[in-house]
Amino acid sequence: MVGLPARGKSFISQKIVRYLSWLSIRAKCFNVGNYRRLAGGSKPNAEFFAPDNIEGQRIREKAVQMAVEDMMNWFYEDDGVVAILDATNSTRQRRDWVLKLCRENAIEPMFLESWCDDQDLIFRNISEMKTTSPDYEGCDPDAATQVFYERIEKYVSVYQPLEEVLDKELTFVRLINVAEQVVINRIETYLESRIVFYVMNLHIKPRCIWLSRHGESVYNLEKKIGGDSHLSTRGMEYARKLPELVRESTGDANLTVWTSTLVRTGETAQFLPYKQLQWKALDELDAGVCDGMTYEEIEKEYPEDFKARDEDKYEYRYRGGESYRDVVIRLEPIIMELERQENILIITHQAVLRCIYAYFMNVPQQESPWVSIPLHTLIKLEPRAYGTKVSTVKADIPAVSTYKEKGTSKVGEPAHCTPAPTIC
Amino acid sequence: MSAILSSDDEEPDTGLDFSNSSFALGNTESTETATPPAVGNHQARTRKRWSSNSGDCRVKLKPPLADGVHTSVNGDYISPGQLYSTESGRLFHAGKILIVLVGLPATSKTLVSVSITRYTRWLGVRTNSFHVSEYRREKAAMDCIKVPLDYFSAKPTTEEGAKLRGMILRDVTDDMRKFFEEEKGQLAVYDALNIIKSERKRLAETFESLNIKVLFIESVVNDVNLLNRNVEMAANSFDYQGWSKEDAITDYVKRLKLNKSLYEEMTPEEGLSYVKYINFGEKLSVNKNYHGFLINKIVFFLMNLRDKKGCVYFARCGTSDKDKYIDDEDLNEKGIEYSKVLTDTVLEQINKRRMEQNDTPVYGENLASASSLNSLASENENPLVPTSATMKRTESLGKTNLRQYASGDGTDDDSFVVWTAPRKRTYDTAAFFLEKGIKVRQCSQLQQLHPGMVSDLSEDDIIEQFPTEYKEYMKDPYHHRFPRAESYHDLAVRIEPLLLEMERMCGDILIIGHESTLKVLYGYVVACSCHDIPSLKFIRDELIEISFGPFENKVTKIPLTVENKGERVNEPTNTRM
C-alpha cells in the first residue's frame, strides 16, 4: 500500500483480504502499525513520526523489518498467495527497498496508492481513526484529532506519490479520491486484475447494510425447505412491523431494498416506503429434488445425502440443486454491487444471508453454513476500517426456528449460536 | 446420438431432433422420479431458474466455423455465462449503456469493440456493436459510389464527403436508438473516430436524454511498434482487398494524417465519464467512474485484453483402456501415440507461423529456410523458434533492477503453455511437451463436466434408468443438471476466470481437455449461443486452431495424422460420457 495516513489504506487492505478469503484464496495483511506498537512505539505523539526523530525512525524501521520478515515467512511456510504490506510506504526509497526484496524472492510487487484531497473524506477517516485506533485509546477525541493532523503533516513533507512517468515500469494502481479516478499501470497477472476490479468497486463513505430474512412462511410452519410459499399470519405481522423497525434503526436515512424474486421476500418488503429491486441471484439455495420436503423426509428418503450434507455442508450439492459454494459464486456480482452502494436493506433467505454474512464478518468457509440467522430479526452491519460492527433487533413476533443442528433432522434454535453484536 | 452423451461417435443422426424421440414433449406420464404429487407440496417453486423453452435449439452437429460475434441478438437470447435473468431482460440492474470508442485510426478501436461485445454477450448482456466502417462499406457497395478520401476525416473538406459522412453517422445513431428502444438492447458499442469534442458532447447529450448512460473509451497508441503493427493490420482489412501492401499502407496513413491534427484528446475538464486505454492496456485510467458494476466489469476485462499474436489450440486428451469417468487411468498405447502426434503437430504449426512473422531474430546464416528449423531448435535446446521476446526475458532474468516476468505464464508474444485438466489422462497427454521443457499447467477449472449419476452410462442406459431426467435434458441440454451432475451452464460459470486468463495471453496456448470443457471454451471464442454449445463436437483426430483477428476470430482444423501412413490416429470409437 502507498499513501498518507487516513487515506483508507487499512480499510482497503482488510477488504481485499476478506474478499480473497471468501473466494478461498490465501491472503493476509501485515499492518506495520501493529508491529510498531510491538516494537515499543505505542501511543506515539506527532513528533514520533517526524523524519528527523532518530528514536522514532529506529522503531519504525524495526517495525517494518519485522512485518516484512513475517510476510516472507508466511509466503514460504504457509503457502501464502497474496500478502498486503499495510504501511504508508510514502518515499520512493522505501518502495525501492520493498521492490528489491520482492524481486530477490521472485515476486513482482503491485503498489496500490490511495491518494485523496477531499478534505471531508479525510476528516471522516480521522474521526473513525481516533475512535478505533489503539494509538489513541483513552485520549480526548478532539486532542486526538489534532495530534493526528500533526502526524499527517510529518509525512506530507517527505511523501512522494507514485508518478505516471517516473514509475512507469512498475505495476501500480492509483486510486484518486477513492475510485473517482483510477490509474492502472502494467497489470500483468489475472489475480492482480481481479484485485483492482474489486478495489474499484469499493467506497469508504459511511453506510449501513441491513439484512433480514423474509417473514415466517407457510413452508416454515410446515418445516419444509425451499418452495415459493406465501407468508404465514405471523410472517405478515412481521412485514407490517418491518417499516417501523427499519425506521428506528435508520432514522431519516434513505435506503434501497433488495429482495429475491420469490414471493415471500416480496411480501415481506411490501410495506416498506423505499425503492425496491428484485435480484434473481438472491433466490434461496436451490434444494433440487428435496425442494418442498422436511428434513425428516429428506433423512428418510435420501439418508446418504442427508449424511453427506452434514459432513460437508459447504460443498454438498443437492440433487439437481445447489451447494453453498454455488451460492457464493452466484452472489459474487451482488457482493460487488453491494460494495458500490450506500444504504441497502436486503430481504432474502437463510442460506443466502449466511453467505453474505460470512463475507462481511469473515466467517470461515466451513462454519458459514452453520451460522444461525433467526426469522423476524433485523441485522444491521456497519462496515468500519478495522471490521464490521453487527447489531440485531428482534421484532418480538414469535416465529418457528428453521435452524437445524448437525446430525439431527429436528429444527430448533441452539442456545449458543446467535450472532452476538461484536466487532469482527 | 446426442452430443453430450457420446463424443467420438460421428453418426449424424437421431437424438437431437427430439420431436421424433419417444420422449417427445407430449409424453407427460409421470414415473417414480417425477415431481412428487401435489400433496404437501402445494406451494412449491413454480418458476425455474431458467425458462424451460431455452432449449428450443437449432440443430448443429459440427462446430460452427464462423465467428458469431457479429450476428445480432434478439430478445430471447440466452448466453452461455448468464448467471441469472431479470424481468426486463437487462442484467445487473445496470440500465442501458452506450459505449463510445474514441481514437485515431490504427488504435485498435474495432478490436476493443468486438471483444467487449463478445465478452458482455457471454455474460448475458444484450450487446451489439455498431461499426461505422461497416455502414460505409455497405452504403458504398449499395449505391455504387466511390468514397472520397476526405470522408475519412472527422471534418470532411468537400461537400460530397461531408454529406456522406453526415448521412452514415445519422444512420448509425438511428440504429443504435432503435436497438435500445425496440430491440431490448442493453449495451451498444459505437465504433467510430469521435475525436472531436463537440461531437462527443452531442452524443452524450442525445443519449443521456433518453436515459441511457454514456461511457467513452479512448484508445491511445504512442508506442511506435504497436502503431506500425496496427497500420499493417488495417492494410489487410476489407477496405484494401486487392491492393498491394505498400499502396494500402500509404492510403491508410493518409487517413491517419487527415485526423491527427483534428484530434482533441479527452481530458477530465470535458466532464464526461471515460476510460483512457493506452498502448493496448499497458496503462488504463478511469475517470468519473460512477457507472456501476457492468462498467467496472468491462474495465476489468480491458485489463486482461491483449492483442494476441499467438493462437489457442484445442485438443482432446488421449485414450485409456476403459475411458471411464471415475477411474484415473493411464493412457493406453494408442493414447501415447496420439500424444506424440499431437506434440509434433502443434510444435510444427507454431514454428511455421513464427517463421512467417518477421520479428524472429536471425541467428547467423542458418535461418533462411524452413528446413533449418529443426537444427535451430535443437541448437538452443528449445523446441520452439525463439523470437525477440525470448531475448528480452533472458536478459532481465534475476536482475533486481529489471522487471521479473512471470515466465512461461504467457504474457509474452513468444510464450507457449499447455493447459490441461487435473486428470491423469489429460495431464499425460502433455507428457511429451513437458519432456521438451515446455510449461504444462493443470487448471482445476478445466475439470470436465461432472456427469453425476449418469457417468459412464450410454445414452440407452440413461433413457432406461433416468427417463424423466432424460426428457428434461432434451428440453434444455445447456441448463439441465442430471442428478448430482453439473450442467454446461455450471461449467461455463466456473470457467469464466480462465477465459480472462486466455484473453491476457499474448502467446500460444494448447488446451488439452475433455470435450465438455472444449465446447464451452469454443463457445466463447466464436460467440455461440447456449443452444449451440451442447451439440458441438470435437473429435480426437483434429486439432482446432483459433487465430485472433481484430474483427473476428478464425477457426482452422488441422488433421492429426501419423506421418507416412497418412491415416488418422484414432478410429472413431464409441465412448461414454
Side-chain angles (χ1 to χ4, degrees):
Chain A
M1 304 297 297
V2 177
L4 291 172
R7 262 60 178 179
K9 295 186 302 299
S10 295
F11 174 79
I12 297 169
S13 311
Q14 295 289 330
K15 280 288 202 182
I16 295 174
V17 168
R18 173 173 319 188
Y19 171 67
L20 294 177
S21 311
W22 191 66
L23 291 171
S24 320
I25 296 169
R26 287 188 67 83
K28 195 171 175 184
C29 176
F30 296 84
N31 179 294
V32 174
N34 288 339
Y35 286 92
R36 188 229 322 131
R37 282 182 280 274
L38 284 177
S42 61
K43 310 245 168 152
N45 57 17
E47 259 330 290
F48 178 86
F49 297 98
D52 54 359
N53 181 328
I54 292 167
E55 177 62 6
Q57 283 289 6
R58 192 188 60 79
I59 292 177
R60 288 162 63 202
E61 192 62 34
K62 193 173 157 206
V64 79
Q65 297 275 6
M66 283 159 67
V68 168
E69 195 177 311
D70 275 4
M71 183 171 85
M72 289 303 173
N73 284 338
W74 178 77
F75 270 125
Y76 291 110
E77 282 159 25
D78 290 336
D79 288 326
V81 180
V82 178
I84 300 175
L85 185 61
D86 179 15
T88 53
N89 295 308
S90 51
T91 64
R92 187 154 281 116
Q93 191 193 356
R94 165 56 49 82
R95 293 196 293 269
D96 284 346
W97 178 77
V98 174
L99 180 71
K100 185 164 171 279
L101 204 81
C102 285
R103 284 183 174 170
E104 277 167 3
N105 290 284
I107 297 163
E108 183 68 35
M110 170 167 86
F111 295 92
L112 204 165
E113 177 173 26
S114 176
W115 189 94
C116 182
D117 65 355
D118 179 338
Q119 292 307 317
D120 290 348
L121 216 75
I122 296 168
F123 181 75
R124 272 206 302 265
N125 281 343
I126 292 174
S127 310
E128 164 125 18
M129 195 76 83
K130 75 186 178 212
T131 51
T132 55
S133 166
D135 284 352
Y136 300 103
E137 221 176 300
C139 277
D140 168 52
D142 290 336
T145 308
Q146 190 50 40
V147 171
F148 205 84
Y149 268 117
E150 282 169 30
R151 174 168 162 185
I152 295 174
E153 279 311 305
K154 303 292 177 204
Y155 282 94
V156 170
S157 58
V158 290
Y159 180 34
Q160 296 165 305
L162 287 164
E163 277 181 36
E164 296 191 19
V165 179
L166 221 59
D167 295 308
K168 71 177 196 302
E169 295 303 323
L170 298 179
T171 294
F172 73 79
V173 181
R174 295 194 76 204
L175 301 170
I176 293 159
N177 290 329
V178 191
E180 190 182 315
Q181 194 194 342
V182 186
V183 180
I184 300 161
N185 197 62
R186 301 202 67 162
I187 291 296
E188 302 219 327
T189 70
Y190 173 71
L191 190 56
E192 283 167 359
S193 73
R194 191 150 181 134
I195 293 168
V196 175
F197 172 50
Y198 175 70
V199 169
M200 281 175 64
N201 282 300
L202 294 180
H203 68 76
I204 48 181
K205 288 185 213 135
R207 54 86 175 257
C208 294
I209 294 160
W210 289 269
L211 308 174
S212 170
R213 289 177 63 187
H214 51 81
E216 183 187 70
S217 72
V218 176
Y219 260 33
N220 291 152
L221 280 178
E222 295 171 351
K223 296 186 184 167
K224 288 182 190 142
I225 63 168
D228 192 10
S229 65
H230 292 281
L231 295 184
S232 69
T233 320
R234 292 190 300 194
M236 261 328 205
E237 220 178 296
Y238 178 67
R240 288 212 179 78
K241 196 168 181 188
L242 196 55
E244 183 193 321
L245 280 187
V246 172
R247 207 163 36 243
E248 274 167 19
S249 184
T250 59
D252 295 332
N254 195 18
L255 58 85
T256 307
V257 182
W258 290 359
T259 64
S260 75
T261 65
L262 298 172
V263 172
R264 54 193 186 276
T265 60
E267 284 183 352
T268 308
Q270 64 184 314
F271 303 110
L272 291 163
Y274 309 103
K275 188 181 159 198
Q276 302 196 2
L277 286 179
Q278 276 194 358
W279 292 86
K280 195 84 186 160
L282 287 174
D283 280 5
E284 178 61 314
L285 184 143
D286 186 347
V289 293
C290 297
D291 189 81
M293 294 169 80
T294 66
Y295 285 121
E296 277 146 13
E297 284 165 0
I298 298 172
E299 192 181 20
K300 215 168 88 198
E301 241 173 89
Y302 303 101
E304 280 169 30
D305 284 77
F306 189 79
K307 212 166 138 256
R309 184 159 198 260
D310 269 1
E311 267 159 23
D312 193 351
K313 202 173 171 188
Y314 188 80
E315 299 287 355
Y316 172 83
R317 174 182 280 153
Y318 276 111
R319 297 171 183 233
E322 292 179 298
S323 66
Y324 270 86
R325 182 182 289 283
D326 294 335
V327 174
V328 164
I329 291 170
R330 83 163 135 95
L331 278 178
E332 214 234 290
I334 295 275
I335 291 293
M336 284 285 182
E337 189 59 32
L338 205 48
E339 288 295 355
R340 301 183 51 80
Q341 297 290 336
E342 295 185 16
N343 293 328
I344 299 283
L345 163 61
I346 303 177
I347 299 178
T348 170
H349 309 265
Q350 179 165 259
V352 175
L353 279 185
R354 280 176 176 152
C355 297
I356 297 175
Y357 187 82
Y359 168 74
F360 281 103
M361 303 306 294
N362 259 337
V363 182
Q365 208 168 77
Q366 295 313 319
E367 289 169 27
S368 60
W370 300 100
V371 172
S372 160
I373 300 187
L375 283 164
H376 298 183
T377 308
L378 185 66
I379 302 173
K380 181 183 182 185
L381 302 176
E382 293 172 74
R384 299 280 182 84
Y386 294 102
T388 310
K389 196 180 157 208
V390 188
S391 46
T392 55
V393 191
K394 290 229 167 237
D396 201 22
I397 297 169
V400 295
S401 168
T402 56
Y403 186 85
K404 184 191 87 66
E405 236 176 311
K406 201 179 255 195
T408 167
S409 59
K410 297 267 175 289
V411 285
E413 206 60 34
H416 59 277
C417 212
T418 321
T422 42
I423 288 192
C424 169
Chain B
M1 292 275 132
S2 157
I4 188 182
L5 303 168
S6 78
S7 32
D8 285 352
D9 189 338
E10 285 186 272
E11 289 168 65
D13 63 355
T14 57
L16 282 165
D17 182 8
F18 51 80
S19 59
N20 293 334
S21 145
S22 56
F23 296 96
L25 300 175
N27 181 5
T28 50
E29 286 301 310
S30 63
T31 64
E32 311 84 64
T33 48
T35 326
V39 185
N41 202 22
H42 50 93
Q43 283 175 335
R45 259 186 215 219
T46 48
R47 273 177 285 177
K48 290 222 163 187
R49 280 203 304 281
W50 300 98
S51 60
S52 57
N53 62 2
S54 71
D56 186 4
C57 55
R58 288 170 276 159
V59 175
K60 259 188 200 129
L61 290 168
K62 294 275 178 173
L65 290 176
D67 190 346
V69 75
H70 298 290
T71 319
S72 303
V73 291
N74 65 25
D76 301 321
Y77 186 86
I78 294 180
S79 57
Q82 190 162 340
L83 274 180
Y84 50 90
S85 57
T86 55
E87 285 304 308
S88 65
R90 296 197 182 96
L91 269 191
F92 306 119
H93 292 292
K96 298 180 230 181
I97 298 165
L98 170 67
I99 291 184
V100 180
L101 274 291
V102 174
L104 290 170
T107 53
S108 308
K109 290 190 300 298
T110 302
L111 197 158
V112 171
S113 54
V114 170
S115 306
I116 289 176
T117 306
R118 185 188 309 282
Y119 179 63
T120 53
R121 264 195 202 178
W122 196 84
L123 287 176
V125 178
R126 209 157 287 140
T127 310
N128 273 354
S129 48
F130 297 83
H131 307 277
V132 165
S133 54
E134 288 291 288
Y135 279 78
R136 185 245 313 150
R137 273 190 285 269
E138 202 175 295
K139 180 115 190 122
M142 240 160 55
D143 302 356
C144 290
I145 46 169
K146 191 174 176 299
V147 178
L149 181 65
D150 73 307
Y151 161 86
F152 294 101
S153 154
K155 283 184 182 159
T157 45
T158 68
E159 199 187 316
E160 191 199 353
K163 203 175 134 205
L164 186 63
R165 190 169 181 82
M167 198 152 47
I168 288 173
L169 292 188
R170 210 163 33 246
D171 281 355
V172 183
T173 320
D174 287 348
D175 278 1
M176 290 196 293
R177 194 182 303 188
K178 213 183 317 162
F179 173 65
F180 284 121
E181 290 175 349
E182 293 165 26
E183 296 163 25
K184 281 193 185 174
Q186 181 172 14
L187 178 64
V189 186
Y190 179 34
D191 173 21
L193 292 173
N194 300 311
I195 53 173
I196 311 277
K197 220 188 212 169
S198 57
E199 235 173 40
R200 293 193 288 260
K201 188 161 176 257
R202 204 172 49 240
L203 269 170
E205 284 170 359
T206 312
F207 283 91
E208 269 159 15
S209 73
L210 299 169
N211 207 9
I212 294 162
K213 292 176 189 167
V214 183
L215 172 82
F216 293 84
I217 297 180
E218 179 179 36
S219 181
V220 181
V221 175
N222 47 33
D223 176 320
V224 182
N225 290 330
L226 202 58
L227 195 70
N228 286 340
R229 220 188 109 161
N230 284 344
V231 169
E232 228 167 89
M233 215 138 75
N236 282 323
S237 78
F238 300 121
D239 279 0
Y240 298 108
Q241 263 164 22
W243 290 50
S244 79
K245 197 174 165 188
E246 289 75 31
D247 290 350
I249 290 180
T250 319
D251 187 75
Y252 196 73
V253 169
K254 263 190 216 154
R255 289 192 201 174
L256 184 59
K257 278 195 181 136
L258 275 176
N259 289 297
K260 217 166 179 177
S261 57
L262 298 172
Y263 185 21
E264 297 166 324
E265 233 186 281
M266 295 194 78
T267 59
E269 286 70 42
E270 239 176 292
L272 300 172
S273 191
Y274 71 96
V275 177
K276 212 181 255 282
Y277 182 66
I278 300 163
N279 289 334
F280 219 94
E282 185 183 293
K283 193 168 137 193
L284 274 150
S285 83
V286 186
N287 297 274
K288 294 215 182 293
N289 168 35
Y290 306 127
H291 267 349
F293 182 67
L294 187 54
I295 297 290
N296 279 355
K297 193 109 182 155
I298 290 169
V299 172
F300 179 34
F301 176 73
L302 286 177
M303 273 190 263
N304 286 293
L305 182 64
R306 292 289 178 272
D307 183 6
K308 292 160 83 73
K309 278 189 186 172
C311 292
V312 172
Y313 294 90
F314 292 134
R316 299 274 311 267
C317 62
T319 46
S320 59
D321 281 335
K322 295 196 193 103
D323 252 350
K324 282 200 169 178
Y325 174 77
I326 202 80
D327 303 339
D328 217 2
E329 278 189 315
D330 287 326
L331 292 175
N332 58 16
E333 211 174 291
K334 216 159 134 191
I336 294 170
E337 193 186 354
Y338 168 80
S339 46
K340 263 187 206 152
V341 173
L342 177 68
T343 311
D344 293 344
T345 314
V346 171
L347 290 180
E348 191 187 320
Q349 202 64 24
I350 292 173
N351 279 334
K352 211 162 78 192
R353 185 161 32 80
R354 286 190 182 177
M355 290 299 290
E356 285 161 8
Q357 282 168 358
N358 49 13
D359 69 337
T360 305
V362 176
Y363 292 85
E365 308 289 305
N366 62 352
L367 209 89
S369 69
S371 62
S372 60
L373 258 183
N374 291 335
S375 68
L376 176 76
S378 57
E379 199 177 292
N380 292 280
E381 288 183 356
N382 185 341
L384 289 169
V385 177
T387 72
S388 42
T390 317
M391 312 296 286
K392 209 172 96 192
R393 182 189 301 146
T394 320
E395 216 173 286
S396 71
L397 200 69
K399 293 185 185 151
T400 52
N401 59 336
L402 290 171
R403 167 172 282 273
Q404 298 296 298
Y405 290 95
S407 58
D409 188 45
T411 42
D412 295 346
D413 288 347
D414 72 338
S415 65
F416 173 51
V417 57
V418 181
W419 288 354
T420 74
R423 299 213 108 205
K424 211 178 168 81
R425 248 173 305 178
T426 45
Y427 190 67
D428 282 352
T429 306
F432 293 104
F433 288 103
L434 205 60
E435 221 170 66
K436 289 176 189 283
I438 286 160
K439 182 145 178 169
V440 177
R441 199 179 116 193
Q442 291 185 46
C443 308
S444 64
Q445 291 101 327
L446 285 176
Q447 179 74 270
Q448 73 185 74
L449 184 127
H450 194 303
M453 312 261 280
V454 300
S455 68
D456 304 319
L457 294 181
S458 72
E459 190 170 11
D460 289 342
D461 292 343
I462 296 172
I463 293 173
E464 201 188 309
Q465 295 174 29
F466 301 93
T468 331
E469 288 288 342
Y470 183 75
K471 207 168 74 190
E472 289 295 316
Y473 164 73
M474 289 313 262
K475 279 192 218 162
D476 187 355
Y478 189 79
H479 291 110
H480 181 74
R481 277 184 190 130
F482 281 105
R484 323 225 49 78
E486 272 181 316
S487 65
Y488 278 103
H489 176 249
D490 295 331
L491 179 63
V493 170
R494 84 168 139 86
I495 240 170
E496 199 213 322
L498 216 53
L499 292 183
L500 289 195
E501 281 195 63
M502 192 165 91
E503 284 291 357
R504 69 172 308 112
M505 297 279 187
C506 293
D508 294 291
I509 316 169
L510 166 66
I511 300 174
I512 303 177
H514 187 265
E515 194 175 29
S516 54
T517 42
L518 298 184
K519 285 178 187 181
V520 173
L521 290 167
Y522 185 89
Y524 170 73
V525 291
V526 304
C528 295
S529 100
C530 71
H531 308 311
D532 302 329
I533 288 176
S535 49
L536 295 174
K537 274 185 168 233
F538 295 92
I539 53 173
R540 279 205 169 85
D541 300 329
E542 267 168 3
L543 175 71
I544 307 268
E545 181 190 76
I546 313 279
S547 46
F548 297 84
F551 197 67
E552 58 191 1
N553 297 339
K554 216 177 86 200
V555 181
T556 317
K557 291 182 171 185
I558 299 152
L560 292 171
T561 51
V562 183
E563 255 180 318
N564 306 329
K565 289 184 205 159
E567 67 190 40
R568 301 204 150 187
V569 190
N570 287 289
E571 299 303 319
T573 49
N574 204 359
T575 53
R576 287 141 303 197
M577 184 155 172

